[in-house]
Amino acid sequence: MKNRVLPVFFSLCLVLLLPLGNRASALDSDFLLAGSSGIDKYTGSGGAVVIPDGVTNISYEAFAGCTGLTSITIPDSVTHISTRAFAGCTNLTEINFLGQVDYISDDAFDDTPWLENMGDFPIVDGLLITYQGSASKVTIPNSVTEINAAAFFHKNLSRVVIPDSVTTVGTSAFYGCTNLADVTLSKNITKISSSSFENTPWLEVQYDGDFAISNGILLGYRGLDSTVVIPDGVTVISDGLFRYCDNHSILTNIFIPDSVTIIDDYAFADCGNLTNIVIPDSVTVIGDYAFANCGNLTSVKMGSNVTKLGDSAFANCGNLISIDIPAGVTIIGDGVFSKCTKLSHVAMSDNVTSIERGAFLDCTSLTDFKFPSNLQYIGPLAFSDAFLQNITHEFKTTLYRNAREEWLNPGQCLEDQSERITTLSRIITNGINSDYEKVKAVTTWVSENIAYGDSGIAVPTMDDILDSKTAICSGYSRLTAALLQAQGIPAINVSGFSGGNHQWNEIFVDGRWILADTTWGPYYFDMNLEDFTDAHMVWDRPSATPGNTPSNWAREGVWETISSGLAPYDLQSGYRSDITREEFCRLMIVLIEKHTNTDIAAYLAAEKLTPTADFRDTDSAAVCAAYTLGIVNGVSETVFNPNGSITRQEAAVMLARTATLLGLTSNAGERFDDAGNFASWAQESIAFVSGLTDPD
């Protein structure tokens, strides 16, 4: 252990000058889940609540009426906050958004003091959630970049000024403002719905013949022709424009001028008689569902400058035969060509790096297709099973290797398990000390004691699987992960293809991720990647959220620290948040324990030191030990301030004291241009840490 730990200390010196933060390792029992990553209902009593990282959706009325809730912290993993999610939380005064949320319902925070205290314009990260004022003439603040769906729904407006900072106007944002006759529209709008100004007098006066156009945005069409020629000068075809027109069922031909740059979501969706489309080179964005359900569409010529194909853009175009995707497209989104059952030819450039979930689902005629050389990810159900059978072993290996390059913190792969699972796990591993041998024992037990078969339960619980001793592959992998996590060993479920939809495990042990497929038996344990991909192609391997991923320059050092066991699991996240004084003490104590191969209590006893710390604000054993060893001081004789953050020079002092304790030596140290800003008490330590030499 000693030879491994000391060199990694130098990685730690780098890593510990990064901010580290805390993370909940599992969803608290106060949260009822909706799917794998959504909160369906909060059943706790409130107070200050932190939503666990990994949650992506907060469902309808999930916290509604929780009068005990005073503050909520929303992690950067959350992308969607649904209707009335926090409505009626009458004591909710503080909300901490740790990242940008893609969607917040306009009524998500109704009847909360937090919303009421936001004034007329409650704005979060540029999103105007709703308008709470009563004025008839409104100028939206320049800090707004997006106006939420239904933000001004049925308000008594007569005039509105939308500043040029606004790029997005949500669905029905000004719907039913029956007195709204004067609108100054942002010149920089790139996304707007055809319903944004529906039932307003202002929209009526924008019509010139069949078309309503403002600032180059085509907002309305009320013609009845089967052939439509969009006027020159239009730059944006708004969300759902022809989908809801009276003529969408008879529209057969559409001519788009080369002034158009954006075809927004649902723009031509459900135009069932549209037979061909020529998208000019000026277009860069084709939105979600833009041509979905155009059942008679047989020919699409896509402009050379398209860079984004929205999710399900051509889904269910059952007569589409051939498509050439421009070189600027790098991601084939979810379901883009799903259910295009006659699609046989697809050409795409090597610039494509990702083919997302269901991209070519049920494209049963697809034969003329070549995988891009830079492809890194294929999502679940991206292709039919028959098509996937022909993928080369070399490509499957490369794909899996690329998937493993995505950052994943082992500490984020632990969850608390039930008493039954924990007890069984202890029985299986009884008498085994090595984590690797524990993993081998658990995977062997699952393979040999669970029979393959469908229990008839849609999503069987762990109890269901143990009672019936029966499972399909997802049950095998879930049970394996649960039994290992009960031992404190990180494990994940990986989905992919192995003759059909399949799941297996990756397990973090001895500083590395190993492969195990308990469905197929003990043979598929700790295989090398090349052998494993003979029978497996990866679809979906978990990865960390951006906020829980270290910067590129720090990744190697962070991973060395994690794989050497120097970073406690609950600190493997929030790398760009400040580290606390107590957390830093814990890291120093772990380093000492790993270096000396003994726990800190035994180490102190061997050094004939009695732990002495009388801080009234913490009883942390790590703080007490670090204080006893002279690594850290309190802010006073009785106060430690465990939750306070530390500066880089304070970290250098603690690192230097720990290094000296471990007998490490140092050279002269580096010269820093800002050395004049160093505190006198930190200068020697900074020089010592920057000059540390690797003993190996």
Side-chain angles (χ1 to χ4, degrees), residues 20 31 46 72 108 147 158 192 198 278-279 291-292 318 324 399 443 458 492 499 515 566 596 618 633 656 680 688:
L20 291 170
F31 300 103
I72 189 82
I147 299 172
S158 61
I192 189 170
E198 193 171 350
V278 176
I279 298 171
F291 295 93
D324 291 344
L399 192 65
T443 55
I492 59 173
L515 296 156
L566 296 175
T596 61
T618 181
N633 298 315
S680 58
F688 183 89

Side-chain angles (χ1 to χ4, degrees), residues 325-660:
I325 298 172
V329 175
T330 60
I331 297 174
I332 310 298
D334 289 359
V336 174
F337 298 101
S338 63
K339 300 186 185 300
C340 292
T341 53
K342 292 185 179 179
L343 184 65
S344 60
H345 165 82
V346 175
M348 63 181 71
S349 77
D350 286 335
N351 296 331
V352 172
T353 59
S354 180
I355 299 176
E356 302 289 322
R357 174 185 289 271
F360 296 94
L361 176 67
D362 291 337
C363 293
T364 51
S365 300
L366 185 60
T367 54
D368 186 4
F369 181 94
K370 180 182 178 182
F371 282 105
S373 60
N374 293 314
L375 189 66
Q376 297 178 9
Y377 174 77
I378 296 178
L381 306 176
F383 296 91
S384 69
D385 288 357
F387 184 85
L388 292 174
Q389 298 283 9
N390 298 318
I391 294 179
T392 66
H393 174 223
E394 180 183 8
F395 179 75
K396 289 191 291 183
T397 302
T398 300
L399 192 65
Y400 209 145
R401 189 174 289 116
N402 289 340
R404 283 181 146 197
E405 290 180 358
E406 292 294 315
W407 188 268
L408 178 61
N409 298 297
Q412 294 179 276
C413 306
L414 287 168
E415 293 187 10
D416 294 335
Q417 300 299 327
S418 68
E419 183 177 349
R420 184 178 184 184
I421 287 289
T422 302
T423 299
L424 176 59
S425 183
R426 289 171 180 166
I427 292 171
I428 295 170
T429 60
N430 184 41
I432 302 174
N433 295 320
S434 160
D435 279 352
Y436 184 86
E437 292 302 322
K438 288 180 180 179
V439 172
K440 194 170 184 179
V442 166
T443 55
T444 300
W445 187 93
V446 173
S447 293
E448 294 180 350
N449 287 273
I450 304 298
Y452 189 88
D454 190 344
S455 65
I457 302 173
V459 184
T461 64
M462 293 298 99
D463 285 340
D464 293 330
I465 294 171
L466 292 176
D467 289 342
S468 67
K469 292 290 195 299
T470 302
I472 58 173
C473 59
S474 58
Y476 276 86
S477 64
R478 287 167 52 224
L479 179 59
T480 302
L483 289 168
L484 290 168
Q485 289 176 8
Q487 290 287 328
I489 298 173
I492 59 173
N493 301 318
V494 181
S495 64
F497 179 81
S498 184
N501 298 345
H502 194 51
Q503 285 191 16
W504 60 88
N505 297 102
E506 287 192 38
I507 303 146
F508 188 75
V509 62
D510 293 345
R512 62 191 179 96
W513 288 102
I514 69 170
L515 296 156
D517 187 343
T518 52
T519 306
W520 300 143
Y523 174 72
Y524 285 92
F525 175 78
D526 198 11
M527 273 187 168
N528 65 54
L529 188 64
E530 288 74 15
D531 289 341
F532 194 78
T533 52
D534 269 339
H536 298 77
M537 188 182 80
V538 69
W539 278 340
D540 192 19
R541 182 182 190 268
S543 60
T545 59
N548 292 320
T549 303
S551 300
N552 288 336
W553 61 267
R555 284 192 176 197
E556 184 177 350
V558 174
W559 187 250
E560 277 288 298
T561 305
I562 289 173
S563 60
S564 299
L566 296 175
Y569 285 142
D570 63 322
L571 296 186
Q572 293 175 13
S573 61
Y575 296 104
R576 308 177 200 207
S577 303
D578 290 341
I579 188 171
T580 70
R581 288 165 53 82
E582 181 180 357
E583 289 167 348
F584 205 97
C585 287
R586 289 179 58 202
L587 291 167
M588 294 298 94
I589 297 306
V590 169
L591 177 63
I592 293 170
E593 290 180 327
K594 291 291 183 181
H595 171 57
T596 61
N597 199 23
T598 186
D599 65 72
I600 194 63
Y603 176 79
L604 290 172
E607 295 294 321
K608 298 181 180 180
L609 293 172
T610 302
T612 54
D614 189 22
F615 298 119
R616 64 172 183 262
D617 57 347
T618 181
D619 58 0
S620 165
V623 169
C624 181
Y627 176 78
T628 302
L629 291 167
I631 294 172
V632 68
N633 298 315
V635 298
S636 74
E637 290 185 0
T638 58
V639 176
F640 183 74
N641 189 22
N643 296 319
S645 58
I646 61 174
T647 64
R648 289 167 61 86
Q649 60 185 3
E650 289 171 337
V653 170
M654 294 173 67
L655 283 165
R657 290 170 179 168
T658 305
T660 300

